[in-house]
Amino acid sequence: GWKDTISTTIINFNNEKMQITWAAREVFPNKNVSFSYTFDEGKDKVWKTCSTYLLDQDYNSGCLFKTEGPTLAISIRNSNGSEELFSKRLKSDFYIKPNPPENVTFFWKADTVIVSCNKPKRAVKCLRLELQYKSKFDKNWQSRTSKCCSVGEQGFDPRKCYSFRVRLKRLVPYCNVVNYSSDWEAETFWMNGTLLDSCDDDIKSQSNTVIVLSCLLAVLLMILILLILLCKCQRLQKSVMPAVPDPKYIFADLFNDHNGNFQEWIDKTAHAMVQTKLEYEEPELIIEAEIQQEDERKSDKQAPQERNFSFPRAPENNDPKTAQTACPMPTSNTIASFAGFQILMNDDMYVML
């Protein structure tokens, strides 16, 4: 009954090595078995014993050997080879597991990425290139499959970091009876067409940028607060303790020009003050002289307007009535008004003003 119930796992690694495994402990409990194989056909078969066994707790559970042809026959016997426990004949080409893609390249253009690899030497038509990617915000992988050996995808956000991985797959059922794919190529990390060591670097760089900006803002805020406090302290100090003026700056010429010689400085200062005073007095004298000349001009202009009138003395008359009637004589130095004119009279003459 073992020939019908035993199950085996057959893998042809890129048509280079064969691996046959079986469940030793379940199918052959407490028994060790031997394995033999042949790639020959017909009556002239040459069976080869396994040179490299795979062990499971010291029991033979598989065999690893070189692929030598498309047709394979296997036989599992007891430990001394006298009894056959299991046999099977198969096509090794239907159990191929391809190698990972080689020389994988990424080509970026805007939001589109094209991934390609080298073409395998054998059975290119049976292979498909699978691309999987996800951003740091995605939980599951997104998958795209295309003919070997190029695949492209659009819609990538240049602000996000993406993880990429690729592998080769065999077509089922046209080329394989088992759905075998290669191992994943090493995962790579990209952001806006730039290769990164990890998407964590992008997160770290953003966090570092935030930390640096926060520190700069804190420093600027501290400087501003210190400046405000310094200004307030200076105002308070000036109001409480006024600053004593430094004579070095008030009497700069005393210390700079005379090296602190007070007598020399005071003599020069007094001479400068006298000279300055004379310079200010001369314009005042000139102004007073001009004012006096202006007054003289005005008086010369007004002089011709004054007219002196001389009147003959009145004849003596002993008659008082006649004298009063004719013209009463005012006393000496008397001013009288006559027809709008002012007359100055004295003992000898009359002057009309």
Side-chain angles (χ1 to χ4, degrees), residues 101 104 106 115 129-134 140-144 151 162-167 183-190:
V104 179
F106 289 79
V115 183
L129 181 63
E130 182 181 8
L131 168 68
Q132 286 191 347
Y133 62 90
K134 67 176 180 179
N140 301 321
W141 290 94
Q142 304 293 326
S143 183
R144 293 292 181 272
V151 59
Y162 291 90
S163 303
F164 290 90
R165 62 182 185 181
V166 292
R167 66 180 179 180
D183 295 333
W184 289 104
E185 178 66 13
E187 188 174 349
T188 57
F189 306 92
W190 295 81

Side-chain angles (χ1 to χ4, degrees), residues 93-350:
D93 292 345
F94 288 167
Y95 296 87
I96 294 177
K97 180 178 181 180
N99 287 339
E102 297 179 353
N103 193 22
V104 179
T105 58
F106 289 79
F107 175 75
W108 288 81
K109 185 177 181 181
D111 64 341
T112 303
V113 61
I114 299 175
V115 183
S116 59
C117 66
N118 291 345
K119 289 185 178 181
K121 296 179 180 180
R122 299 176 181 177
V124 177
K125 294 182 180 180
C126 291
L127 295 175
R128 293 293 181 267
L129 181 63
E130 182 181 8
L131 168 68
Q132 286 191 347
Y133 62 90
K134 67 176 180 179
S135 70
K136 58 185 178 181
F137 303 104
D138 299 329
K139 294 182 179 180
N140 301 321
W141 290 94
Q142 304 293 326
S143 183
R144 293 292 181 272
T145 304
S146 180
K147 292 182 179 181
C148 187
C149 292
S150 178
V151 59
E153 181 63 14
Q154 297 178 342
F156 291 98
D157 190 345
R159 297 171 296 179
K160 295 181 180 180
C161 178
Y162 291 90
S163 303
F164 290 90
R165 62 182 185 181
V166 292
R167 66 180 179 180
L168 291 174
K169 298 178 63 175
R170 290 274 295 186
L171 288 178
V172 177
Y174 304 103
C175 299
N176 265 30
V177 295
V178 182
N179 189 11
Y180 281 149
S181 300
S182 70
D183 295 333
W184 289 104
E185 178 66 13
E187 188 174 349
T188 57
F189 306 92
W190 295 81
M191 180 177 180
N192 195 18
T194 302
L195 180 63
L196 303 177
D197 293 334
S198 172
C199 283
D200 296 334
D201 297 340
D202 177 42
I203 299 174
K204 290 179 180 178
S205 62
Q206 291 181 356
S207 61
N208 292 336
T209 303
V210 172
I211 292 172
V212 171
L213 292 177
S214 301
C215 292
L216 288 176
L217 290 176
V219 170
L220 292 176
L221 183 60
M222 290 295 295
I223 292 174
L224 180 61
I225 293 174
L226 290 176
L227 290 175
I228 294 173
L229 293 177
L230 182 61
C231 293
K232 290 186 177 181
C233 290
Q234 288 180 351
R235 290 182 181 179
L236 181 62
Q237 184 178 3
K238 288 181 180 180
S239 61
V240 176
M241 295 182 295
V244 179
D246 191 350
K248 179 178 180 180
Y249 299 100
I250 299 176
F251 304 100
D253 54 349
L254 172 61
F255 294 97
N256 295 333
D257 300 338
H258 303 283
N259 296 324
N261 192 338
F262 182 78
Q263 187 62 40
E264 182 182 348
W265 174 75
I266 198 65
D267 292 341
K268 185 176 181 180
T269 304
H271 177 70
M273 292 178 64
V274 171
Q275 186 175 0
T276 304
K277 183 176 181 182
L278 291 175
E279 291 176 356
Y280 279 103
E281 287 180 352
E282 288 179 359
E284 291 179 357
L285 294 175
I286 293 172
I287 294 172
E288 290 180 358
E290 291 178 354
I291 294 173
Q292 186 175 2
Q293 290 178 2
E294 185 69 21
D295 293 341
E296 290 178 357
R297 292 193 193 98
K298 290 181 179 180
S299 63
D300 292 342
K301 290 180 181 180
Q302 293 177 359
Q305 294 178 0
E306 296 181 357
R307 296 180 180 179
N308 296 331
F309 296 92
S310 298
F311 295 93
R313 296 185 62 180
E316 293 182 358
N317 192 354
N318 294 328
D319 190 353
K321 293 181 181 181
T322 305
Q324 292 176 356
T325 305
C327 183
M329 297 299 295
T331 61
S332 178
N333 298 330
T334 302
I335 297 175
S337 297
F338 178 77
F341 293 91
Q342 291 184 351
I343 303 174
L344 175 64
M345 294 171 291
N346 58 14
D347 292 339
D348 298 329
M349 65 176 57
Y350 303 96

Side-chain angles (χ1 to χ4, degrees), residues 58-119:
D58 298 332
Y59 289 97
N60 295 335
S61 61
C63 182
L64 186 64
F65 53 94
K66 184 178 179 181
T67 303
E68 298 176 359
T71 303
L72 173 65
I74 60 174
S75 176
I76 300 176
R77 296 174 176 270
N78 57 5
S79 58
N80 57 15
S82 59
E83 182 183 359
E84 187 179 68
L85 304 177
F86 176 77
S87 64
K88 186 173 183 179
R89 188 176 178 181
L90 52 94
K91 290 288 186 179
S92 60
D93 292 345
F94 288 167
Y95 296 87
I96 294 177
K97 180 178 181 180
N99 287 339
E102 297 179 353
N103 193 22
V104 179
T105 58
F106 289 79
F107 175 75
W108 288 81
K109 185 177 181 181
D111 64 341
T112 303
V113 61
I114 299 175
V115 183
S116 59
C117 66
N118 291 345
K119 289 185 178 181

